[in-house]
Amino acid sequence: MDDLSDSEILSLSMEHNFWTWSAQTKVNPIPIKRAKGVYFWDVNNKRYLDFNSMVMCANIGHGDERVIQAIVQQAQELPFAGPQMATRPRALLGKMLSEITPPGLTKFLYTLGGADANENAVKLARSFTGRHKILARYRSYHGATYGAIALTGDPRRVAWEPTVMPGVVHFLDPYQYRSTFHRSNPAASETEFAQDYLNHLEEIIQYEGPQTIAAVLLETVTGTNGVIIPPQGYLQGVRAICDKYGILMIADEVMSGFGRTGKWFAVEHWQVIPDIMTMAKGLTSAYAPLGAVAMKPEIAGAFNEVIYQGGLTYTAHPISLAAAIANIRVMQEDHLIEHANEMGPVLHRMLTELGEQHPCIGEVRSIGLFGIIELVRNRKTKEPLTPWNSSSPEMTMLRKELLEKGLFIYTHWHTLLIIPPLIITQEQLMEGFAILDAALSITDKIAQGK
Ligand SMILES: Cc1ncc(COP(=O)(O)O)c(C=O)c1O
């Protein structure tokens, strides 16, 4: 491997790899060489500012020696132990997680990522309640495996229908900017708005039969499908509805967890405690693959005498657990949750100012270091720059321009997501926003047909 030259990385990668989420002839990977802090470099030494934490996961930033050393140490001490073994990192991580997750979530099942965390959450909920249906939202992404893609509401599910996991019913998200229920009543108060969406959920529960529903599963703050921040009262209302009908509430905090919103977990903003909470990404800041399902002891207790039918060869892999422990310590030592909380208003101000300057911006939203820009052709009609579930030449051009200028950012249809590592400084945010500002000036002109 050592004799592979930098210039061969791209060509050889292209020759022998099958790329996910891609038409194989259309992929255009960046041959990446190293990464540090909020930046990474390609083989030509071009520097990119990472506004997407790679895949919304490098929460503590790249190349932190403390996590790297913890992985090395674990690899030297005990690189692997089977699922039925008790290990030092397993003992430590469970305790640590129970201290940072919302009170009452005290048991943890480990997976390899977010999708299998959600699948195990579904198994637990179905077994615990003896019911089979899961309610999830249309604007959601919960993973690509057959169960998780069934939970996913967005069009990535449709590609695999009708053979995905049965028993999922979708409902609408409280998405204020494009709210179906409020086109003729855009001035509804936040309370009314939240209530309308709670009524919608409860009506669906009635139609489906509450006695058939095991769980309502939702992203606390919707990620890829729009950084949709729940209005005050909504999550509390979902919790109350779940309690009323004996339905479990599952929060998917795969993207919104580990400081992303300025709290350890986004549910804390609304003081809601789910029965089950899934996590991945920021759990190790991607230094090693890991997901987890946090649950209340009564859910775990249902399997005191009954076997839990599920498992993975690599559940609780010691190297991943060691990475998670070191990652959480870094977050604590460097006060990264507090930092994200402080930078939240800074990001929000920058987004708002950008929105005021560019006619192609319809709306900006953010919570903590979790932000989005919605691009439109017309602010009044809110016509998106790219139709639902597709691309447009304008977006392709914008993406290309940003990358050329060294800003790595995730675009989804007509939106730009701003999800940088939590260590980002105000100056680094400004650096990215200067690139955005210049590129969006071009988009403004094109969007207006000039
Ligand atoms: C909210 C959410 N849930 C689940 C997943 C799936 O996680 P993974 O890709 O680790 O399976 C993702 C991934 O982007 C996610 O954003």
Side-chain angles (χ1 to χ4, degrees):
M1 206 181 127
D2 286 346
D3 53 14
L4 185 73
S5 75
D6 284 354
S7 60
E8 286 171 300
I9 291 178
L10 185 58
S11 53
L12 210 50
S13 295
M14 293 295 287
E15 200 176 328
H16 293 291
N17 285 276
F18 188 89
W19 303 83
T20 54
W21 301 121
S22 304
Q24 302 303 299
T25 58
K26 302 283 192 301
V27 290
N28 191 16
I30 302 174
I32 181 173
K33 194 73 191 294
R34 64 192 171 95
K36 189 79 189 163
V38 296
Y39 299 102
F40 63 87
W41 288 260
D42 69 12
V43 291
N44 300 315
N45 224 16
K46 175 173 171 175
R47 193 182 79 167
Y48 295 85
L49 173 59
D50 186 357
F51 256 29
N52 195 45
S53 305
M54 203 52 86
V55 195
M56 302 96 167
C57 51
N59 289 21
I60 64 162
H62 304 288
D64 192 300
E65 280 301 324
R66 292 165 288 184
V67 184
I68 295 168
Q69 282 315 314
I71 290 172
V72 170
Q73 238 174 20
Q74 189 60 47
Q76 284 168 342
E77 193 179 307
L78 181 70
F80 181 63
Q84 305 308 331
M85 306 284 172
T87 62
R88 173 186 283 274
R90 199 166 188 174
L92 282 175
L93 183 60
K95 182 170 181 296
M96 277 176 115
L97 286 174
S98 70
E99 285 162 5
I100 60 169
T101 48
L105 298 176
T106 54
K107 289 273 192 179
F108 303 90
L109 178 162
Y110 299 109
T111 64
L112 307 186
D116 45 348
N118 284 326
E119 298 221 354
N120 277 284
V122 166
K123 282 185 177 172
L124 286 163
R126 285 179 167 168
S127 305
F128 180 76
T129 59
R131 304 171 177 180
H132 67 282
K133 282 183 198 156
I134 309 289
L135 265 51
R137 295 190 303 201
Y138 275 106
R139 284 185 165 266
S140 68
Y141 179 71
H142 296 293
T145 50
Y146 257 52
I149 205 73
L151 300 168
T152 293
D154 83 21
R156 284 172 274 193
R157 163 178 44 90
V158 179
W160 298 104
E161 284 179 340
T163 51
V164 297
M165 174 182 78
V168 183
V169 176
H170 289 99
F171 62 103
L172 294 169
D173 313 62
Y175 179 21
Q176 196 141 25
Y177 184 59
R178 298 182 188 280
S179 173
T180 301
F181 301 145
H182 303 91
R183 285 183 194 155
S184 54
N185 178 22
S189 71
E190 190 168 353
T191 315
E192 287 168 331
F193 176 78
Q195 192 54 51
D196 286 338
Y197 278 90
L198 291 170
N199 293 344
H200 158 69
L201 171 61
E202 194 162 6
E203 194 172 342
I204 288 185
I205 289 174
Q206 290 298 346
Y207 293 150
E208 292 296 331
Q211 74 287 356
T212 68
I213 302 168
V216 172
L217 182 152
L218 33 74
E219 288 177 75
T220 310
V221 173
T222 298
T224 344
N225 282 290
V227 187
I228 299 168
I229 303 154
Q232 198 47 251
Y234 177 77
L235 284 175
Q236 296 93 324
V238 172
R239 177 70 273 182
I241 291 172
C242 286
D243 289 342
K244 182 171 165 188
Y245 296 107
I247 296 169
L248 296 186
M249 181 176 181
I250 305 175
D252 177 341
E253 292 254 0
V254 169
M255 201 185 289
S256 60
F258 289 92
R260 177 53 57 203
T261 67
K263 304 262 187 205
W264 276 105
F265 296 94
V267 282
E268 293 169 43
H269 288 281
W270 298 277
Q271 291 97 39
V272 163
I273 301 176
D275 300 295
I276 298 177
M277 193 170 82
T278 57
M279 56 192 101
K281 295 189 187 276
L283 171 57
T284 60
S285 286
Y287 283 74
L290 187 67
V293 186
M295 69 191 95
K296 289 184 172 168
E298 54 267 35
I299 296 173
F303 301 92
N304 279 348
E305 306 301 333
V306 176
I307 293 172
Y308 176 66
Q309 297 288 354
L312 298 155
T313 299
Y314 298 134
T315 196
H317 195 292
I319 290 181
S320 297
L321 300 196
I325 292 166
N327 172 63
I328 293 169
R329 285 195 180 134
V330 167
M331 285 191 172
Q332 289 168 331
E333 273 168 33
D334 294 358
H335 307 288
L336 291 186
I337 312 295
E338 293 85 343
H339 179 71
N341 199 34
E342 276 165 28
M343 294 311 287
V346 176
L347 171 63
H348 196 76
R349 198 186 62 237
M350 289 184 188
L351 281 168
T352 308
E353 283 171 11
L354 198 74
E356 281 160 7
Q357 279 152 22
H358 293 280
C360 69
I361 296 181
E363 186 172 80
V364 296
R365 294 182 289 279
S366 72
I367 178 166
L369 286 170
F370 202 9
I372 193 164
I373 300 171
E374 284 211 28
L375 298 173
V376 293
R377 287 187 194 283
N378 181 321
R379 275 185 174 171
K380 245 203 186 117
T381 63
K382 300 182 182 174
E383 183 194 347
L385 193 61
T386 296
W388 168 252
N389 194 24
S390 64
S391 189
S392 66
E394 294 92 334
M395 277 310 281
T396 310
M397 193 188 265
L398 176 62
R399 207 170 26 238
K400 199 163 159 263
E401 174 67 15
L402 293 171
L403 209 55
E404 246 168 48
K405 295 289 178 316
L407 184 65
F408 181 72
I409 200 167
Y410 186 75
T411 62
H412 190 65
W413 306 334
H414 68 293
T415 66
L416 295 167
L417 283 103
I418 320 283
I419 310 183
L422 307 182
I423 54 170
I424 199 160
T425 63
Q426 180 160 346
E427 291 68 36
Q428 290 162 336
L429 276 173
M430 281 164 68
E431 184 188 327
F433 270 75
I435 298 173
L436 275 171
D437 187 29
L440 287 170
S441 299
I442 308 171
T443 312
D444 282 336
K445 290 192 188 120
I446 306 171
Q448 288 163 4
K450 286 181 195 158

